[in-house]
Amino acid sequence: SIIESGMPIDLLFTDVIMPGPLKSTELARKARERMPDLAVLFTSGYTEDAFINSGRLDESVELLSKPYSRDALARKVRHMLSNVSQRGYRTVTGAYSSTLLPPAVREQPTRILVCEHNAGIRETTVDMLSAMGYHAMSAGDAQTALSILASNLVDILLTDIGLPDMSGTTLAVHAKARFPALNVILATGEASVTDSTTVTLGSARTLIKPFTFEQLAAAIKSMPAKEAK
């Protein structure tokens, strides 16, 4: 009923097993008949559900297995909505000048560089930032981060303190020297940051690992940068 009302919908997220006469697969089929670009994400705690064909998931199906974490959900939704957004952006820009696009399309999202040596933490952080609507880049060490900063516009540097080639605070000091407007968030597993170089970082924020989605969002929103408010 909601779909047929004409309400704009980007993503249908449904359990595989639903009460009533209408199966979730039929719901998805009917929804896509009305909205061809609609993203559909199923969730299930059972491998024997309707999508498993000869032990393999059908190629057209996106499935999030239960139980899932908040981060896993954010990562999946971000991926699917990103694909929808890219298709929609090409359609709009093909017909209109960029000056006619609504502000939400014209404006650049806040650009955040994540420097973290642990690949799992790095990927999860990037996924969380993307789910929040930020443009996230990543580096596994300080030298790579400096190279990215030299060739890309970056609003916020979110760096782990314990990097393999230099400390994150030293990286932040070098980066701030070259790009004074850059904001810094220091991530650490310690209760407090004791590195003396943090004195020169001014408004730098600190995140204690492991941090939650909400803690990351709060740290970014506390930045003085106009885009991060």
Side-chain angles (χ1 to χ4, degrees):
S1 296
I2 293 173
I3 290 170
E4 290 180 341
S5 73
M7 178 184 294
I9 299 172
D10 298 301
L11 172 68
L12 171 63
F13 182 28
T14 176
D15 200 347
V16 171
I17 304 299
M18 295 294 293
L22 187 66
K23 293 182 178 180
S24 59
T25 49
E26 186 67 7
L27 166 64
R29 186 187 66 79
K30 289 179 176 290
R32 278 180 164 163
E33 285 178 352
R34 292 158 177 76
M35 301 177 177
D37 291 331
L38 180 69
V40 178
L41 175 61
F42 295 93
T43 184
S44 173
Y46 303 94
T47 57
E48 65 266 28
D49 278 325
F51 304 120
I52 304 299
N53 182 13
S54 300
R56 295 192 303 176
L57 194 66
D58 291 344
E59 291 182 357
S60 62
V61 171
E62 292 282 354
L63 178 65
L64 182 63
S65 297
K66 295 180 184 179
Y68 51 82
S69 67
R70 184 193 302 246
D71 291 345
L73 175 61
R75 185 160 53 245
K76 195 73 170 180
V77 170
R78 188 270 305 175
H79 169 72
M80 297 185 69
L81 291 184
S82 176
N83 291 339
V84 171
S85 177
Q86 289 172 7
R87 291 198 302 269
Y89 182 76
R90 286 196 296 269
T91 300
V92 172
T93 54
Y96 300 99
S97 164
S98 61
T99 59
L100 300 178
L101 296 177
V105 176
R106 289 200 311 268
E107 294 175 358
Q108 276 281 358
T110 299
R111 295 149 297 203
I112 303 176
L113 172 59
V114 178
C115 187
E116 166 63 59
H117 72 288
N118 183 294
I121 297 175
R122 184 171 67 245
E123 181 180 344
T124 297
T125 303
V126 167
D127 287 340
M128 287 195 291
L129 292 171
S130 298
M132 295 177 201
Y134 300 118
H135 176 66
M137 297 164 275
S138 66
D141 56 63
Q143 290 302 325
T144 302
L146 289 171
S147 297
I148 292 174
L149 286 165
S151 56
N152 295 271
L153 293 174
V154 176
D155 301 305
I156 299 173
L157 170 64
L158 195 170
T159 179
D160 181 33
I161 289 181
L163 298 175
D165 49 350
M166 72 173 71
S167 74
T169 48
T170 301
L171 164 63
V173 169
H174 287 319
K176 286 282 287 183
R178 295 184 62 183
F179 309 101
L182 181 71
N183 283 311
V184 175
I185 299 175
L186 299 171
T188 176
E190 303 297 328
S192 62
V193 180
T194 58
D195 193 314
S196 61
T197 56
T198 58
V199 176
T200 65
L201 296 178
S203 62
R205 304 294 192 268
T206 302
L207 269 176
I208 304 301
K209 297 194 294 186
F211 47 80
T212 65
F213 192 96
E214 290 80 4
Q215 289 167 337
L216 176 59
I220 295 169
K221 288 181 180 179
S222 71
M223 293 276 94
K226 184 176 180 180
E227 297 88 346
K229 292 180 180 177

